[in-house]
């Protein structure tokens, strides 16, 4: 026979279970009617300066440089070395000076000889002119006598022959004078060439600069046209870089701002020149920016180049507050009466973590959700948890 107290305990457990089963649907019904609120943080749009930039790498170049070549052939005497600072007019190198100086001296001596010959021929033509005048007078006098039968035919023929001989001697003297004059001109030209060769063999610096490259060593034999050194003007520099073709229309020579950076150095400039063509293989074009004189950079340096494609003031929101919707549209969520309100926006430049809103009237003065925006839809109940 079972104990009476065990029976009472079983009965009490059954009644408790039945009571719990009856009360659970009522609790589920109450929870189903509750409204879930998303915790969010908000901020108002800010007036900011927006800048659209791209960064590329560029190379510093000296845009005034000269490859100095030998203008005469011979053994070279180099007067400068790599890295030397040079002044305008300073001698850079000499070529075969003794040989070229001797040629000048020979040409000068030859000129003296032909000039003396020319002066001698001038004297000869003076004598020939005197002899021709005498022969002409003798002929004229004896012609009148011959016409009066005072001079025989044989005697008159002697004066005719003498006059003809004097004329030919004069013509010969004139020809000799012309020939000697031509020789003088020829030797003068040879002297000028010799002097020019000597001058060409002394190469001087065309401007203040520095010896950037030395192609030949002192004492080498060089031919005319062979490059000896390269000189640069280190004060006149430019930054040259390759830009993607997609920015070809956006960069305006003479207008687009450029910032050239090397470590802690920043130089403000402009896009001064752009190539008029795009390379068909790399799909890039060249842009050059001329830097202020005295820029503390060096030819050959690799630098960062920030190109400002557009900049303006405008109203913006944190970049993450903007949600990309279907169809490529953008939207933000504002809080209105404790509910999320979806607002379609047109976006512009994104810089420094903020996105420009091109229709600012749509968000002006509104509390924009900047945290929790990915968990709400239009009309969602929200709780603003901004720290005070």
């Amino acid at each position: 026979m079972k104990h009476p107290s065990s029976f009472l305990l079983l009965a009490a457990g059954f009644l408790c279970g039945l009571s719990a089963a009856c009360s659970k649907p009522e609790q589920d019904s109450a929870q189903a009617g509750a409204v879930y609120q998303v915790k969010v943080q908000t901020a108002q749009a800010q007036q900011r300066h927006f800048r659209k930039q791209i960064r590329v790498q560029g190379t510093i170049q000296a845009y005034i440089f000269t490859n100095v070549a030998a203008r005469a052939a011979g053994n070279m005497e180099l007067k400068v070395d790599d890295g030397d600072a040079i002044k305008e007019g300073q001698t850079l190198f000499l070529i075969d000076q003794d040989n070229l100086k001797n040629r000048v001296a020979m040409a000068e001596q030859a000129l003296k000889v032909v000039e003396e010959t020319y002066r001698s021929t001038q004297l000869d033509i003076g004598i020939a002119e005197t002899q021709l005048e005498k022969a002409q007078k003798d002929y004229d006098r004896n012609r009148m006598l011959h016409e009066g039968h005072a001079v025989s035919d044989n005697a008159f023929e002697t004066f005719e022959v003498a006059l003809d001989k004097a004329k030919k001697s004069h013509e010969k003297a004139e020809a000799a004078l012309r020939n000697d004059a031509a020789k003088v001109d020829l030797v003068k030209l040879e002297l000028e060439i010799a002097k020019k060769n000597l001058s060409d063999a002394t190469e001087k610096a065309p401007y203040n600069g520095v010896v950037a490259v030395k192609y030949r060593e002192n004492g080498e034999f060089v031919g005319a046209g062979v490059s000896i050194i390269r000189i640069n003007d280190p004060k006149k520099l430019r930054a040259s870089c390759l830009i993607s073709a997609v920015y070809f229309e956006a960069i305006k020579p003479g207008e687009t701002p450029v910032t050239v950076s090397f470590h802690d150095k920043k130089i403000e400039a402009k896009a001064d020149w752009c190539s008029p063509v795009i390379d068909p293989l790399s799909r890039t074009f060249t842009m050059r920016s001329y830097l202020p004189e005295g820029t503390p950079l060096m030819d050959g340096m690799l630098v960062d180049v920030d190109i400002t494609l557009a900049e303006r003031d405008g109203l913006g929101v944190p970049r993450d507050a903007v949600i990309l919707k279907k169809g490529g549209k953008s939207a933000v969520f504002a809080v209105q009466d404790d509910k999320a309100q979806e607002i379609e926006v047109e976006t512009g430049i994104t810089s420094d973590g903020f996105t420009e809103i091109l229709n600012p009237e749509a968000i002006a003065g509104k509390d924009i959700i900047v945290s929790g925006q990915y968990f709400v839809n239009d009309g969602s109940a929200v709780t603003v948890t901004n720290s005070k």
Side-chain angles (χ1 to χ4, degrees), residues 70-366:
R71 291 181 289 171
N75 293 317
M76 176 189 62
E77 182 183 357
L78 195 58
K79 295 291 188 180
V80 294
D81 206 348
D82 285 323
D84 284 356
I86 55 176
K87 298 291 186 181
E88 182 179 353
Q90 178 180 337
T91 299
L92 302 176
F93 56 85
L94 305 171
I95 294 179
D96 213 1
Q97 292 289 292
D98 291 341
N99 184 37
L100 294 171
K101 287 178 180 178
N102 288 337
R103 291 183 182 178
V104 171
M106 290 172 61
E108 289 174 340
Q109 192 62 34
L111 179 59
K112 290 179 181 179
V113 171
V114 296
E115 285 179 337
E116 286 298 323
T117 302
Y118 180 69
R119 281 191 287 270
S120 177
T121 306
Q122 286 178 316
L123 294 174
D124 290 341
I125 198 170
I127 295 172
E129 287 176 349
T130 300
Q131 291 174 344
L132 178 58
E133 290 176 1
K134 178 65 170 63
Q136 184 68 53
K137 290 177 180 178
D138 290 344
Y139 172 79
D140 292 339
R141 282 194 303 268
N142 285 277
R143 180 174 58 81
M144 295 177 64
L145 294 172
H146 180 259
E147 291 174 354
H149 303 288
V151 175
S152 65
D153 291 340
N154 184 53
F156 180 65
E157 287 174 359
T158 301
F159 293 107
E160 284 183 325
V161 170
L163 177 59
D164 185 61
K165 184 179 179 180
K167 287 180 179 179
K168 286 182 170 55
S169 295
H170 185 265
E171 290 175 359
K172 182 180 180 181
E174 285 183 329
L177 185 65
R178 289 193 297 271
N179 182 61
D180 289 345
K183 287 181 179 180
V184 170
D185 291 339
L186 179 60
V187 176
K188 282 182 177 179
L189 182 59
E190 290 174 347
L191 177 59
E192 290 301 318
I193 292 173
K195 287 181 177 179
K196 179 67 165 57
N197 289 337
L198 179 59
S199 174
D200 289 347
T202 304
E203 195 63 48
K204 297 183 181 296
Y207 47 81
N208 296 341
V210 64
V211 178
V213 182
K214 184 175 65 174
Y215 301 112
R216 293 290 186 272
E217 295 298 330
N218 184 46
E220 285 190 55
F221 181 89
V222 296
V226 174
S227 292
I228 307 300
I229 60 174
R230 170 184 167 132
I231 60 175
N232 294 347
D233 184 344
K235 294 182 179 179
K236 293 178 170 56
L237 301 173
R238 69 188 179 195
S240 179
C241 50
L242 294 177
I243 312 294
S244 171
V246 299
Y247 300 111
F248 188 80
E249 296 294 334
I251 297 177
K252 307 298 182 184
E255 299 179 11
T256 301
V258 167
T259 301
V260 177
S261 304
F262 182 79
H263 296 315
D264 60 340
K265 299 182 180 69
K266 290 187 180 295
I267 298 94
E268 302 299 329
K270 291 188 179 297
D272 293 292
W273 179 86
C274 290
S275 171
V277 295
I278 295 172
D279 184 274
L281 298 179
S282 65
R283 306 303 299 167
T284 60
F285 64 96
T286 300
M287 185 200 77
R288 293 174 184 158
S289 295
Y290 294 92
L291 306 181
E293 187 167 322
T295 294
L297 298 176
M298 294 180 64
D299 185 18
M301 279 183 170
L302 190 65
V303 294
D304 291 324
V305 181
D306 293 310
I307 305 167
T308 301
L309 303 178
E311 61 179 330
R312 54 183 176 261
D313 293 325
L315 200 64
V317 297
R319 177 177 53 195
D320 293 339
V322 180
I323 306 294
L324 186 63
K325 309 295 285 186
K326 289 183 179 180
K329 295 182 178 181
S330 298
V332 297
F333 286 98
V335 174
Q336 182 72 31
D337 298 329
D338 296 328
K339 292 184 179 180
Q341 177 191 16
E342 182 177 321
I343 303 173
E344 187 174 312
V345 293
E346 298 177 26
T347 58
I349 300 171
T350 296
S351 64
D352 298 327
F354 277 74
T355 296
E356 178 190 20
I357 304 301
L358 299 179
N359 56 332
E361 67 282 353
I363 61 170
K366 295 182 180 293

